[in-house]
Amino acid sequence: MQQQERASADKPPPGMGSLVARQPMLTMGILAVSVIGWAVLAWMAVDMEHPFAQLTMPDSSNWSVANMLAIWTMWSLMMAAMMLPSALPMVLTFVNLSGRSRQRARGCSFVAAYVLVWLTFSAGAAAAQRALQAMGWVNPMIVSTSAWLTGLLLVASGLYQFSRLKHLCLSRCRTPVVFLLGQWRAGASGAFVMGVQHGLFCLGCCWALMALLFVGGVMNLAWIAALSMAVAIEKLAPGGERMAKALGLVLMAAGLLKLVVLMA
């Protein structure tokens, strides 16, 4: 069975349109989860007085357990909304390369592992939010109240766009077949390991851009959408590597301008 899976993996994959046609239910399922995430974020931005929305916006850093769970849920939904669409080519390519045998189980295992990485990141982001709120650097809607924090986050995110780690992770995200064949493992457990690996590459590619959510806040849908588009362009568009560096220049310029104004 392992040899059959490996032989299937060695075959060149079809184009994106063909992959979607072969896996319409999986495609719609992943996109549906993303849409649900966006819908919940939009609802929270419109109805901030709802009890759940209020739980995600505590007035101080003295969070209750309910606050912690609600904020972690909010971050998790936001990561699902932002990251799953750009992961779709990788997931569909993986399912196609897995062959017809146990395809569904391996696909679910791969996606579950990928989501787990971002759920873990969401816990870290919630902890960072609490720490920044305790220092008075962000308000309850996670908008930066510190010009220094804003400037430094912009500069740091811009610099990271040129880092070797960013280039390595982005290259793995942009070439699904190269990543999958290089890390191929058989069985559902092997698919889970591969999903974790891809999730970590994706996290390494995008964490600095996700940190910019502390600049614009999580109730600013335009800001979230702009970051989502930046991630998608980097990972999916022709010339995405060059776009990543161009974005890095813009972020550094904006951050430096902010810092220069502060020091003037």
Side-chain angles (χ1 to χ4, degrees):
M1 182 65 68
Q2 182 174 350
Q3 290 179 347
Q4 291 177 349
E5 285 186 338
R6 185 71 197 193
S8 177
D10 289 336
K11 297 179 181 178
M16 185 62 188
S18 179
L19 289 172
V20 171
R22 292 184 182 190
Q23 297 293 332
M25 297 303 296
L26 178 59
T27 301
M28 289 189 291
I30 291 174
L31 293 179
V33 173
S34 178
V35 169
I36 290 171
W38 280 109
V40 173
L41 293 174
W43 163 69
M44 290 174 59
V46 171
D47 188 7
M48 295 186 188
E49 298 302 319
H50 190 277
F52 178 78
Q54 287 293 304
L55 283 174
T56 67
M57 297 182 288
D59 293 330
S60 73
S61 59
N62 297 320
W63 294 0
S64 66
V65 173
N67 288 133
M68 294 179 187
L69 290 174
I71 291 169
W72 174 74
T73 300
M74 175 193 66
W75 276 100
S76 299
L77 287 170
M78 187 159 46
M79 292 304 102
M82 298 177 72
M83 303 308 303
L84 282 177
S86 64
L88 187 58
M90 180 71 77
V91 173
L92 295 181
T93 302
F94 169 79
V95 171
N96 180 70
L97 293 178
S98 293
R100 297 187 180 277
S101 61
R102 293 179 294 153
Q103 189 178 69
R104 180 173 300 178
R106 281 178 56 80
C108 290
S109 185
F110 185 89
V111 174
Y114 178 82
V115 170
L116 178 62
V117 171
W118 285 104
L119 292 179
T120 304
F121 171 82
S122 297
Q129 176 185 339
R130 186 178 184 182
L132 291 171
Q133 188 174 12
M135 292 184 284
W137 290 356
V138 297
N139 66 18
M141 290 187 290
I142 324 181
V143 177
S144 172
T145 58
S146 166
W148 284 103
L149 175 64
T150 298
L152 291 174
L153 281 176
L154 288 168
V155 170
S157 297
L159 287 173
Y160 186 72
Q161 295 292 99
F162 294 90
S163 69
R164 187 172 183 178
L165 179 59
K166 169 75 177 192
H167 174 74
L168 172 65
C169 293
L170 181 58
S171 66
R172 296 298 188 275
C173 290
R174 286 182 55 82
T175 54
V177 175
V178 173
F179 164 76
L180 293 173
L181 295 185
Q183 305 296 328
W184 194 261
R185 288 172 170 80
S189 61
F192 188 87
V193 172
M194 293 171 68
V196 170
Q197 290 175 329
H198 174 53
L200 291 175
F201 277 124
C202 191
L203 178 60
C205 176
C206 303
W207 72 267
L209 292 177
M210 297 301 101
L212 295 179
L213 289 165
F214 290 108
V215 172
V218 298
M219 296 300 173
N220 187 338
L221 294 181
W223 184 247
I224 299 173
L227 292 176
S228 300
M229 289 179 62
V231 169
I233 290 171
E234 284 186 356
K235 294 171 67 175
L236 304 177
E241 301 95 333
R242 294 191 297 273
M243 295 298 295
K245 292 180 179 179
L247 177 60
L249 290 174
V250 172
L251 292 174
M252 283 192 293
L256 289 173
L257 179 60
K258 189 76 173 179
L259 295 176
V260 167
V261 169
L262 281 175
M263 294 183 290

